Amino acid sequence: MNSRSTPLYGQLLHLSYNMWEEHDALTTRRRKASLKLEFDEPLWRELTERMAEAGMNLVVLDLGDGIRYRSHPEIAVEGAREPEWLAAEAARLRAMGLELIPKLNFSAGHDTWLGPLYSRCLSTPLYYEVCTNLIREVCELTRPRFFHLGMDEENYDEQQDQNFIVIRKNDLFWHDLLFLCRTVEEQGARPWIWSDTIWEENAERFLRQMPRNVIQSIWYYGVKFDESARVAALKQLEAAGFDQIPTMSPCIHEGNPQLMVDYCRSQLSAGQLMGFLQTPWARTMPEFRERHLISIRTFQEALRETGGVRV
């Protein structure tokens, strides 16, 4: 495991879940974006307490439109938390041994949270201004080591049922990605992304243009670790010298977390394997409580098998 720091054992949780849906959706595969915050505070506290008890040390929190940002309050949905809440939660988690890592997904396919105006003006001066303001504000509130920018699934397949489809390609995609990464670095944090582009586009160009400081997360939720292109990308990133936090989930196959940990521990070098991230992909609402608890349990079990987490 990465000798430069404590291994990272984290889980993705959601303040906002307005990522994939549209506000003006009519008939799509997914529901319409919510105008109210769907977030249960007691469950959030229970889950973070259980994560700490399980030996986890990191929470990636998808913020979206769940904060009433001082710089852009117009983004917030009804019930959004005040900026002071985010700062206070970062402190509460820190006292529990959990590091809060903010996430704002700037993928053109997952940016409903930006609202109808900003999510439909990508790659314009206004867009760059808004992105900069939000990243700066969130970093001021949380002082994070890392900042997750998302950037996954910006492709036609994921957006084909939407009313408004945007896909940045070639030089424009790289311009915007590098802009976002620089903005994060200017705030003293390290950028972190989903690494989809390495298997969706030209892998050679990805490896050539992606800054080595950007933390990479290949996500894979299957069980066939000898066939997936996504699994092969883990070794491509390893060979190119990237630090990685592989991402797993029990949402499709409950055995996936154990298989992912076993594979990475045996195939990737300890110096570049920073840790693991679990992704239950569920709103932080009571009806999904059991799914979240299964996610924590299967992660703990997977790490216990390799002696990687306290029990």
Side-chain angles (χ1 to χ4, degrees):
M1 192 63 65
N2 195 316
S3 60
R4 291 165 291 174
S5 62
T6 302
L8 302 173
Y9 302 133
Q11 179 151 304
L12 172 68
L13 295 177
H14 290 266
L15 178 60
S16 169
Y17 213 69
N18 281 339
M19 310 292 157
W20 307 271
E21 300 82 3
E22 294 177 297
H23 288 290
D24 55 359
L26 298 175
T27 55
T28 70
R29 289 182 296 168
R30 301 184 174 101
R31 66 196 185 104
K32 194 171 185 177
S34 177
L35 298 177
K36 296 182 179 180
L37 186 67
E38 299 176 300
F39 177 78
D40 184 75
E41 188 107 16
L43 179 59
W44 155 254
R45 286 182 169 259
E46 178 191 0
L47 293 177
T48 52
E49 289 168 3
R50 290 203 178 217
M51 289 169 63
E53 292 169 359
M56 300 167 80
N57 56 17
L58 182 142
V59 181
V60 177
L61 183 59
D62 226 331
L63 301 174
D65 49 20
I67 297 292
R68 191 172 302 281
Y69 303 104
R70 299 185 185 108
S71 57
H72 293 285
E74 67 275 15
I75 288 175
V77 294
E78 181 182 339
R81 298 303 191 260
E82 297 299 322
E84 293 78 11
W85 178 91
L86 181 58
E89 283 302 293
R92 180 183 71 87
L93 295 174
R94 194 178 304 115
M96 297 166 54
L98 291 170
E99 182 175 2
L100 188 146
I101 302 301
K103 178 173 181 282
L104 291 176
N105 198 330
F106 290 102
S107 165
H110 296 333
D111 63 356
T112 301
W113 63 271
L114 276 169
L117 173 59
Y118 303 134
S119 67
R120 297 188 175 184
C121 70
L122 270 72
S123 307
T124 65
L126 176 60
Y127 176 79
Y128 297 131
E129 178 184 352
V130 172
C131 293
T132 298
N133 292 341
L134 293 172
I135 291 172
R136 285 177 177 170
E137 180 172 346
V138 169
C139 285
E140 288 172 0
L141 291 167
T142 61
R143 298 297 178 189
R145 270 200 300 167
F146 315 127
F147 195 115
H148 204 308
L149 295 165
M151 300 304 289
D152 54 317
E153 299 182 330
E154 189 165 320
N155 57 54
Y156 177 75
D157 286 345
E158 293 300 322
Q159 299 183 55
Q160 59 183 302
D161 292 326
Q162 295 184 357
N163 298 316
F164 189 83
I165 297 173
V166 179
I167 305 168
R168 289 167 292 193
K169 301 282 287 185
N170 304 315
D171 291 345
L172 182 59
F173 173 84
W174 283 101
H175 172 274
D176 285 10
L177 173 62
L178 296 176
F179 167 81
L180 293 166
C181 289
R182 285 195 306 272
T183 303
V184 167
E185 290 170 341
E186 288 168 359
Q187 304 308 306
R190 187 175 178 186
W192 179 1
I193 65 166
W194 304 124
S195 309
D196 295 36
T197 310
I198 194 171
W199 69 70
E200 290 183 349
E201 301 290 342
N202 185 308
E204 181 179 344
R205 182 172 188 179
F206 180 101
L207 297 173
R208 183 176 67 251
Q209 292 195 221
M210 182 66 68
R212 293 303 185 268
N213 187 50
V214 180
I215 300 168
Q216 303 295 317
S217 275
I218 292 291
W219 54 272
Y220 177 63
Y221 310 142
V223 295
K224 297 182 179 180
F225 278 73
D226 57 342
E227 299 178 8
S228 171
R230 302 181 185 191
V231 173
L234 289 165
K235 288 191 173 182
Q236 287 180 291
L237 292 169
E238 159 97 359
F242 286 98
D243 288 337
Q244 299 189 65
I245 302 178
T247 303
M248 57 233 189
S249 177
C251 62
I252 298 175
H253 298 286
E254 195 166 312
N256 168 264
Q258 182 70 65
L259 291 170
M260 176 66 87
V261 170
D262 290 345
Y263 178 87
C264 292
R265 286 259 170 84
S266 66
Q267 299 295 320
L268 304 182
S269 69
Q272 292 166 227
L273 182 59
M274 296 179 67
F276 298 94
L277 182 67
Q278 183 84 311
T279 53
W281 293 118
R283 297 189 295 283
T284 310
M285 294 290 285
E287 58 264 38
F288 298 104
R289 178 177 179 271
E290 186 61 27
R291 184 165 176 172
H292 285 291
L293 295 180
I294 289 173
S295 184
I296 294 170
R297 174 180 58 78
T298 56
F299 196 8
Q300 183 182 29
E301 290 172 352
L303 293 171
R304 180 192 295 137
E305 290 297 318
T306 57
V309 66
R310 67 179 183 271
V311 294

